[in-house]
Amino acid sequence: MTSASAALKRAGRAVAFVPTMGALHEGHATLMRRARETGAAVIASIYVNPTQFGPKEDLSKYPRTLEADCTICEREGVTAVFAPTDAEMYTDGPGNVSTWVDESQVARRLEGERRPGHFRGVCTVVAKLFNTVQPDAAFFGQKDYQQLKVIQRMVRDLRYPIQIVPVATVREADGLAMSSRNRYLNAEERSHALVVSLALKAARELFLKGEQNPERLEAVMREQVVGASLARLDYAEVVDGETLERITEARPGDVALIAAYVGATRLIDNLSL
Ligand code: PAF
């Protein structure tokens, strides 16, 4: 992968990178399209990274659809797909990592609190992928808002010469944020899952009407999610858009985030105020 990327650069191409865990959907295709629009050669990685899953999470059942994924990559004009094995990514195996990359501030709350070790796994694998692919730019969806901010901080702190390009969340026609985990939902759960994006919209509308108290904005989100019988709220917070820390007064650029279980599936979504 490293020599393929170097060859593209020698030929005068910039390299744009789209890291994924596969099970590709329209959200990923949009990342690839944005990357292509820059005129760069696009490299996508497909790797379900074990170190970012907790012991009770869905690593073993995470959808693996490599052939269909490659068809999407081809359709979107991706130049190369990097689909490494665990042994290629982790010399001594994913269970025996001795060197981690651990962003400790932006990663601290919300997902970081609920999923201990998650962002350490993400940062470590993304650093390895960056080192291997050596891209000029990398494209990340805003759907995983905290991940995007953690990666931006990591790139800043470790001086990676890589431009991180955020891409807006792609939604189904009814507003549900696209996610590889949506395929776990049955029809009834799918209809209840809509409450997550509706709750975020309700908070934003209230903010646009002048409500700046984060607790009142959070209460509106909680009420909506609690109203859907198959949904169980994990958190609903309005926080600083850069640090993800709690705020005392909501301002434009702050962000509302929700994590909720719908049936057994954990969904996350967010909306900037
Ligand atoms: O967002 C994802 O799909 C993953 O967290 C990433 C960035 C590919 C790292 O495994």
Side-chain angles (χ1 to χ4, degrees):
M1 185 70 260
T2 307
S3 46
S5 169
L8 286 165
K9 289 187 190 179
R10 275 198 305 278
R13 303 293 303 278
V15 171
F17 180 43
V18 180
T20 82
M21 296 209 299
L24 302 182
H25 49 68
E26 191 49 32
H28 298 108
T30 304
L31 296 177
M32 291 167 186
R33 250 171 262 146
R34 292 283 172 281
R36 259 199 78 191
E37 280 161 15
T38 65
V42 179
I43 293 173
S45 65
I46 298 176
Y47 177 60
V48 182
N49 170 38
T51 66
Q52 68 188 76
F53 288 78
K56 291 189 187 136
E57 292 182 1
D58 55 346
L59 173 62
S60 60
K61 70 165 190 165
Y62 198 83
R64 288 160 171 86
T65 56
L66 186 59
E67 253 181 62
D69 293 345
C70 287
T71 306
I72 293 175
C73 290
E74 204 165 0
R75 188 190 75 202
E76 297 304 335
V78 168
T79 300
V81 171
F82 179 48
T85 60
D86 283 346
E88 284 165 332
M89 288 308 289
Y90 294 98
T91 311
D92 301 313
N96 198 20
V97 176
S98 63
T99 305
W100 293 100
V101 178
D102 201 357
E103 194 287 325
S104 61
Q105 290 180 13
V106 187
R108 194 173 60 83
R109 300 189 60 251
L110 303 164
E111 291 301 293
E113 218 170 307
R114 270 74 176 187
R115 304 181 67 188
H118 170 66
F119 286 121
R120 186 180 74 159
V122 170
C123 286
T124 302
V125 83
V126 170
K128 284 167 180 276
L129 291 168
F130 283 176
N131 294 341
T132 306
V133 175
Q134 302 196 355
D136 299 289
F139 291 68
F140 286 84
Q142 281 177 337
K143 152 83 170 48
D144 295 313
Y145 188 86
Q146 192 174 10
Q147 169 173 281
L148 166 69
K149 292 292 150 186
V150 167
I151 297 295
Q152 284 177 329
R153 182 64 67 92
M154 178 188 91
V155 161
R156 187 200 77 170
D157 290 352
L158 299 185
R159 308 279 190 271
Y160 273 107
I162 299 171
Q163 185 199 358
I164 301 300
V165 184
V167 177
T169 304
V170 179
R171 296 180 181 280
E172 305 281 358
D174 62 3
L176 179 72
M178 288 199 188
S179 162
S180 303
R181 290 188 168 96
N182 289 353
R183 57 182 90 190
Y184 298 151
L185 301 168
N186 65 31
E188 199 187 1
E189 290 166 349
R190 168 66 184 77
S191 67
H192 286 231
L194 198 54
V195 80
V196 174
S197 60
L198 290 176
L200 290 165
K201 269 193 219 147
R204 183 158 74 179
E205 272 159 31
L206 195 60
F207 171 74
L208 292 175
K209 281 185 191 146
E211 181 58 75
Q212 288 186 292
N213 181 330
E215 277 154 28
R216 281 203 282 275
L217 297 171
E218 291 168 359
V220 161
M221 294 196 281
R222 269 199 306 274
E223 276 160 29
Q224 291 254 349
V225 177
V226 169
S229 58
L230 291 187
R232 184 165 54 83
L233 188 65
D234 192 348
Y235 60 77
E237 288 199 20
V238 176
V239 297
D240 183 281
E242 284 306 313
T243 63
L244 285 286
E245 291 291 342
R246 292 208 64 86
I247 49 172
T248 50
E249 190 180 273
R251 299 214 173 91
D254 292 336
V255 62
L257 300 109
I258 291 184
Y261 289 89
V262 180
T265 306
R266 188 170 183 276
L267 300 177
I268 57 171
D269 196 358
N270 67 86
L271 213 51
S272 284
L273 298 183

